[in-house]
Amino acid sequence: MEDQYAAVNVDTPGGRYLIRIGPGRLDALAESVPADASALALVTTQTVADLYGQRVLDTLSATGRRVVQVVLPDGEVHKTQASLDKIYDTLLEHQLDRKAVLVALGGGVVGDMAGFAAATYMRGVRFIQVPTTLLAQVDSSVGGKTGINHRLGKNMIGAFHQPIAVEIDTDVLQTLPHREISAGLAEVIKYGMIMDQGFFDWCAEHMAALRHLDTAPLMYAIQRSCELKAQVVSRDERESGLRAILNFGHTFAHAIEAGMGYGQWLHGEAVGCGMVQAAQLSQRALGLANSDVARITDLVLATGCPIQPPAMPIEQWMALMQSDKKTQAGQIRFVLLESIGLARVDAAPDKDVHAVLQAGVPQAGAVS
Ligand code: NAD
Ligand code: GLY
């Protein structure tokens, strides 16, 4: 069972590593522990610890290393300096040295925080990503973006720090709430929208099976998403250009998350809704075909994510979007689509942005 995994290579200036994807990977984590690891620090949340903590502790202890554990409070509201300090406290209290390896077990919140702790503890130690949400498996665990939120902005404090391995156990998705599955599927379909029309079509055909967590299509969706993300980060690790396309829908999404209060909308839900808004903007600003806007809307709807943006004054939307990290010299820049599978980053006329923000509920069901 443990040998049945798919492998994806990531090759960046900051590190080369393997993503292993398959059932039962939690029991095979030793394969990713480097021979010279002096100790292991498992970083997780209470929810995930209750489900998988002991099993992972047993797997890690079987490597013969000393294993310490940090259990953080759950949720986006805890992606803070206080949680980060808790990780540092444990590492220092147990006198972990520079050869120690952190193991991030959980969703994107834990992965981002443990990764940032690894980037900064003793000026940088190694870490392994063990993502347990679909969103983390297809996106946040790959590519080395790490960080925490600041009260003035999401993910505003962070570092690029690549993991030394990513271990994806597809079985753990069985315990994930449906809402979290839908949120992860929003990031899956994003890859089709921005860079692979064939994958977009495949997702549209297999969406029911994906929501049902059927093993074969689920494995393929995770593998293809990781391959596409690996292609992008291998070419542009530090987001000096191309990598920004991975933020399709995110300018609107970050405004939704901040405007509604972190944790009200799941990140992936906000991305789903934001991709519909970004498609509408692409239609106005770049002439994206109406049929493509309809197909995007329908596919987001099929994931189970909301497609109706929350009611917020336009001034609030604009102010929140202004603080997006893609903004240059005060000008908001969006990821826009020329067609499904072809994205570019550009500014858009304010009148088009306002028109999208004023629009009502998007027309779903235009394409069957
Ligand atoms: P999350 O980490 O909050 O996890 C969602 C919930 O699922 C949590 O309550 C968690 O305890 C629970 N959970 C995790 N695994 C479970 C399992 N197998 N069974 C049952 N419950 C489980 O949220 P997320 O959606 O995974 O991640 C969102 C975060 O990821 C955001 O902070 C976002 O900024 C970040 N992100 C980072 C990147 C990146 O490139 N670094 C990319 C995308 C998103
Ligand atoms: N999720 C966007 C990125 O990794 O760049």
Side-chain angles (χ1 to χ4, degrees), residues 106-300:
V109 169
V110 160
D112 280 12
M113 286 197 293
F116 189 45
T120 46
Y121 182 68
M122 295 198 172
R123 300 199 182 87
V125 294
R126 294 166 291 180
F127 81 114
I128 298 168
Q129 287 274 21
V130 188
T132 61
T133 64
L134 181 58
L135 182 139
Q137 296 186 345
V138 299
D139 189 359
S140 62
S141 64
V142 177
K145 276 190 183 176
T146 72
I148 56 170
N149 298 331
H150 185 275
R151 69 185 164 78
L152 295 180
K154 187 173 154 61
N155 294 333
M156 282 296 164
I157 315 295
F160 287 97
H161 188 57
Q162 300 292 341
I164 56 167
V166 182
E167 287 281 4
I168 298 179
D169 187 333
T170 47
D171 287 342
V172 301
L173 298 179
Q174 297 295 337
T175 55
L176 199 62
H178 292 302
R179 202 177 150 197
E180 299 284 352
I181 296 289
S182 295
L185 287 170
E187 298 279 9
V188 169
I189 62 175
K190 175 190 78 178
Y191 294 108
M193 293 179 197
I194 59 173
M195 59 194 293
D196 186 345
Q197 176 160 27
F199 185 50
F200 180 95
D201 295 342
W202 181 91
C203 288
E205 269 173 47
H206 293 86
M207 188 47 69
L210 291 172
R211 289 187 72 181
H212 196 248
L213 300 181
D214 290 356
T215 308
L218 188 64
M219 285 262 302
Y220 176 71
I222 295 169
Q223 180 181 350
R224 187 67 191 140
S225 298
C226 289
E227 285 169 355
L228 290 167
K229 180 152 188 184
Q231 275 177 28
V232 173
V233 299
S234 298
R235 286 167 60 193
D236 179 23
E237 182 187 23
R238 300 243 160 184
E239 200 166 310
S240 40
L242 176 70
R243 184 166 179 166
I245 66 169
L246 296 174
N247 283 316
F248 181 56
H250 285 56
T251 313
F252 293 102
H254 287 160
I256 293 172
E257 286 183 273
M260 295 298 102
Y262 291 124
Q264 295 304 306
W265 282 56
L266 301 181
H267 176 71
E269 291 175 332
V271 168
C273 185
M275 292 193 298
V276 174
Q277 292 176 287
Q280 294 169 339
L281 183 60
S282 303
Q283 186 271 325
R284 289 176 184 277
L286 287 189
L288 176 68
N290 282 325
S291 56
D292 281 354
V293 179
R295 292 193 72 207
I296 287 168
T297 307
D298 285 354
L299 191 52
V300 173

Side-chain angles (χ1 to χ4, degrees), residues 68 85 109 291 305:
V68 303
D85 283 342
V109 169
S291 56
C305 285

